[in-house]
């Protein structure tokens, strides 16, 4: 009687090993390849070199426009890093990674927008007005 139990235990162990192999292969979709890392690295280099060239060559005369373009390149580079190096996509961890990313982005946007709004209004309200300057001794 112990022999069928041993076979059953052995079969379960074999199925478990097969399941681990299947799970390992399914997990390989999220692991990077050398080609993926090289593509990510090259994109990162290009996305760093272009803003550097824009600033050093003074390609865009307006500093505000240059700053906006650099911020756009920074956002694209963040996405490249998340996809190629952190292997984030909508399917990783059952979608929870993407949900956490969206939540983080919403919080960052609220924090940055609120900070800029407060600093702008402080600047406007604290600057002396021209008519106030005439009255001052």
């Amino acid at each position: 009687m112990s022999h069928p139990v041993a076979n059953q235990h052995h079969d379960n162990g074999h199925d478990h090993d097969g399941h681990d192999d299947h799970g390992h292969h399914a997990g390989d979709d999220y692991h990077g390849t050398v080609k993926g890392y090289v593509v990510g690295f090259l994109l990162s280099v290009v996305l760093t070199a272009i803003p550097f060239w824009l600033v050093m060559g003074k390609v865009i005369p307006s500093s505000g426009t240059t700053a906006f373009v650099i911020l756009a390149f920074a956002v694209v580079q963040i996405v490249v890093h998340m996809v190629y190096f952190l292997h984030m996509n909508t399917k990783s961890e059952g979608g929870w990674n993407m949900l956490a990313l969206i939540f983080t982005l919403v919080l960052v946007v609220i924090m940055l927008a609120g900070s800029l709004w407060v600093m702008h209004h402080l600047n406007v309200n604290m600057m002396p007005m021209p008519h106030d300057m005439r009255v001052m001794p």
Side-chain angles (χ1 to χ4, degrees):
M1 292 200 60
S2 66
H3 185 62
V5 172
N7 285 340
Q8 183 180 7
H9 179 66
H10 178 68
D11 289 340
N12 285 340
H14 181 66
D15 289 339
H16 183 66
D17 290 341
H19 181 62
D20 281 348
D21 289 343
H22 177 67
H24 182 66
H25 290 302
D28 283 344
D29 295 341
Y30 303 117
H31 296 296
T33 61
V34 174
K35 180 182 175 186
Y37 284 119
V38 169
V39 169
F41 175 74
L42 292 175
L43 283 172
S44 296
V45 168
V46 168
L47 291 170
T48 302
I50 291 173
F52 183 79
W53 169 72
L54 288 173
V55 171
M56 295 305 290
K58 296 183 181 173
V59 177
I60 302 172
S62 169
S63 62
T65 306
T66 303
F68 182 74
V69 170
I70 290 173
L71 285 175
F73 273 100
V75 168
V76 172
Q77 190 162 120
I78 289 170
V79 172
V80 165
H81 282 250
M82 287 189 313
V83 170
Y84 286 98
F85 299 121
L86 297 177
H87 313 294
M88 288 185 69
N89 58 26
T90 56
K91 295 179 184 136
S92 62
E93 299 290 330
W96 285 106
N97 279 346
M98 191 57 60
L99 186 64
L101 173 67
I102 291 169
F103 179 71
T104 303
L105 290 176
V106 168
L107 286 179
V108 167
V109 166
I110 289 171
M111 185 180 65
L112 288 177
S115 297
L116 291 174
W117 182 70
V118 167
M119 287 188 283
H120 172 73
H121 284 288
L122 282 175
N123 187 32
V124 169
N125 292 330
M126 296 301 287
M127 292 298 293
M129 297 294 172
H131 61 81
D132 291 340
M133 291 179 72
R134 284 187 225 134
V135 177
M136 292 176 66

